[in-house]
Amino acid sequence: MSWSGPGDSGSGRRGYHHGNLREALIDAALELIAAKGPAGFTVAEAARLAGVSPAAPYRHFRDAEALLVEVAVRGYDLFAERLANAWNGGRPQPVRAFEDLGRAYLAFARDQPAYYAAMFDSHLAMESHPGLQAAGDRAFAVLREAADQVAATLPKGRRPPSLMMALHIWSMAHGIAALFVREGPGRRKLPMAAEELLEAGVLLYLQSLGLAGGE
Amino acid sequence: MSWSGPGDSGSGRRGYHHGNLREALIDAALELIAAKGPAGFTVAEAARLAGVSPAAPYRHFRDAEALLVEVAVRGYDLFAERLANAWNGGRPQPVRAFEDLGRAYLAFARDQPAYYAAMFDSHLAMESHPGLQAAGDRAFAVLREAADQVAATLPKGRRPPSLMMALHIWSMAHGIAALFVREGPGRRKLPMAAEELLEAGVLLYLQSLGLAGGE
DNA sequence: CAACTCATGTGAATGGTTTTTACATGGATA
DNA sequence: TATCCATGTAAAAACCATTCACATGAGTTG
């Protein structure tokens, strides 16, 4: 899918021109990151996977970092989409949908390690890449919006600041993903599934705000 | 400081032998990571900083990763020490000391970015480095112990599992450090200090367990 | 249809990196 | 003092990023 040129997706290229090198390089980068970690990606090997010379990628990306940025942007977009689907406008109930959001967060980290690594492990400077900043903001906006609706179930007097809520939940979800879901330095065995840990944490947190359904 | 050989810390070496290359390489690695991020460290440049040939480091470390591991181990040890100091045996009061622990977590991420990067951003596999695993466990044990004592202030019936508490707090602290304290992809402006965000989160969490001192 | 242009790809070169190898040095020890 | 071996060097092979001059051919234009 997504090929416009003269067919043939993976194996041998058609003629002198590739036809869709940009996309092929992004796919190759994802494949390499998934297989060998965020440091396992090199422009040269991505070019090799796409069947072109090591210089060809530079017609499409200024440098290796630019390719990574493009991967991360797409990752944030997919992430935002998954989160929005899980939240589903807060239905059937805001608190329940909020938990679904948390599960979707961890599911993304688990199912899309390549995207997740490009987004959070590549040490790209948001400031120098406005598109990346914007994509990240779009993803966070989903969480923010959800927190807002959850907070709105309380009467105005006891309503917590939804930004703070969103930041707390995001932090806990991100921390659990970094420490217990993904490969890496902090990873250690848990006596429970990461999803259960997050769900319990979210429930307790919401309880302290007078929000939780469970007791 | 920390030189045993014939003096002269940074500039030009004495004779053919360095005298303390192992330590000098670790210092150089920290300096490079601090200056140019976790990816900015190379064996060759560390050797250059120490004033030796690019091959010399391999007399002391099997490869680049082994050097990183040594840095990370020292980082975990320093981390554990800082956390233990902040906890201070739970004095004057467990809940209050627990908050100090959280502050110390973020302070470490802020003050020791090089160690923190080696520990959490280098994607070292804990499994393949038992010493690293052990060092990480020692640091986590401080948090675990603290959670245990905090939980013990409650009567047995309403006492939460301290492991879960420790994991929740660790995750939130780590998430806040990763997203808002350190340079990196997720970093964005906060309407409050990261320390305040964590303190509020911890307080709310403890409240839900019936623990908090605030109201 | 022929000529041209320009985006896209190539080859080769520069300069960096990791890591291994054979060899050199000299501090510690017998 | 003679020797040994931990520690250093130089050189080399194998990678990588990036750039530059040049090649190709798809799409446009006359």
Side-chain angles (χ1 to χ4, degrees):
Chain A
M1 62 157 76
S2 86
W3 274 67
S4 64
D8 187 0
S9 60
S11 54
R13 212 166 65 271
R14 273 307 183 194
Y16 189 90
H17 290 93
H18 181 287
N20 207 354
L21 184 52
R22 188 182 170 85
E23 293 300 317
L25 288 171
I26 291 170
D27 289 351
L30 279 170
E31 195 174 323
L32 289 171
I33 296 172
K36 305 192 289 182
F41 151 77
T42 62
V43 173
E45 194 155 4
R48 209 171 299 135
L49 276 184
V52 297
S53 78
Y58 295 89
R59 294 294 176 194
H60 299 273
F61 300 97
R62 192 229 289 276
D63 53 22
E65 180 171 310
L67 209 176
L68 252 318
V69 167
E70 179 63 27
V71 172
V73 166
R74 294 184 182 208
Y76 275 117
D77 285 342
L78 183 59
F79 191 42
E81 184 190 315
R82 296 284 172 88
L83 294 183
N85 281 348
W87 169 243
N88 191 27
R91 283 158 292 187
Q93 304 167 5
V95 171
R96 178 61 181 273
F98 203 62
E99 289 166 27
D100 292 340
L101 193 53
R103 257 189 296 280
Y105 195 112
L106 297 187
F108 184 85
R110 206 188 291 282
D111 301 340
Q112 304 290 340
Y115 276 126
Y116 202 91
M119 293 155 64
F120 293 111
D121 290 335
S122 331
H123 304 285
L124 304 169
M126 282 280 187
E127 310 85 39
S128 19
H129 303 285
L132 185 59
Q133 176 81 258
D137 288 349
R138 284 195 294 277
F140 179 63
V142 176
L143 192 54
R144 174 69 204 272
E145 173 68 22
D148 213 53
Q149 287 198 36
V150 170
T153 53
L154 285 180
K156 271 193 179 169
R158 302 188 295 113
R159 195 175 296 172
S162 66
L163 174 57
M164 185 193 71
M165 274 182 64
L167 292 172
H168 280 145
I169 298 303
W170 190 19
S171 298
M172 188 179 291
H174 186 74
I176 289 176
L179 293 172
F180 309 116
V181 173
R182 314 203 46 252
E183 300 284 345
R187 195 182 189 189
R188 69 197 63 220
K189 285 173 197 140
L190 283 182
M192 62 195 90
E195 278 78 1
E196 297 173 44
L197 182 65
L198 178 58
E199 185 170 336
V202 169
L203 268 173
L204 286 169
Y205 181 84
L206 294 181
Q207 267 180 31
S208 72
L209 297 172
L211 270 162
E215 75 256 39
Chain B
M1 64 157 74
S2 88
W3 272 66
S4 66
D8 186 359
S9 62
S11 53
R13 212 166 65 272
R14 276 302 183 198
Y16 189 90
H17 290 92
H18 183 286
N20 206 355
L21 184 52
R22 188 183 168 87
E23 293 300 317
L25 288 170
I26 291 171
D27 290 351
L30 279 169
E31 194 175 324
L32 288 171
I33 296 171
K36 306 191 291 182
F41 150 77
T42 62
V43 173
E45 194 156 5
R48 210 171 298 135
L49 275 184
V52 296
S53 78
Y58 294 89
R59 294 295 176 194
H60 299 273
F61 301 97
R62 189 228 288 274
D63 54 21
E65 182 171 307
L67 209 176
L68 251 319
V69 166
E70 179 63 29
V71 172
V73 167
R74 295 184 180 210
Y76 275 115
D77 285 343
L78 182 59
F79 191 42
E81 184 191 315
R82 296 284 172 86
L83 293 182
N85 281 347
W87 168 244
N88 191 28
R91 284 157 293 186
Q93 303 166 5
V95 171
R96 178 60 179 273
F98 203 63
E99 289 167 26
D100 292 339
L101 192 55
R103 256 189 297 280
Y105 196 111
L106 297 188
F108 184 85
R110 207 188 290 285
D111 301 340
Q112 305 289 341
Y115 276 126
Y116 201 91
M119 293 155 64
F120 293 111
D121 290 335
S122 322
H123 304 285
L124 304 169
M126 281 279 188
E127 309 84 41
S128 20
H129 304 283
L132 185 59
Q133 177 82 258
D137 287 349
R138 286 194 294 277
F140 179 63
V142 177
L143 193 55
R144 174 69 203 273
E145 174 68 20
D148 214 52
Q149 287 198 35
V150 170
T153 55
L154 284 180
K156 271 193 178 170
R158 301 188 295 113
R159 196 174 295 171
S162 65
L163 173 58
M164 184 193 72
M165 272 182 66
L167 292 172
H168 280 144
I169 299 303
W170 189 20
S171 297
M172 190 180 290
H174 186 74
I176 289 176
L179 293 172
F180 309 117
V181 173
R182 314 205 45 254
E183 302 282 345
R187 194 182 189 188
R188 64 199 65 221
K189 285 174 198 138
L190 284 182
M192 62 195 90
E195 277 79 1
E196 297 174 46
L197 182 64
L198 178 58
E199 184 171 336
V202 170
L203 268 174
L204 285 168
Y205 181 83
L206 293 181
Q207 267 179 33
S208 73
L209 297 173
L211 272 162
E215 79 266 32

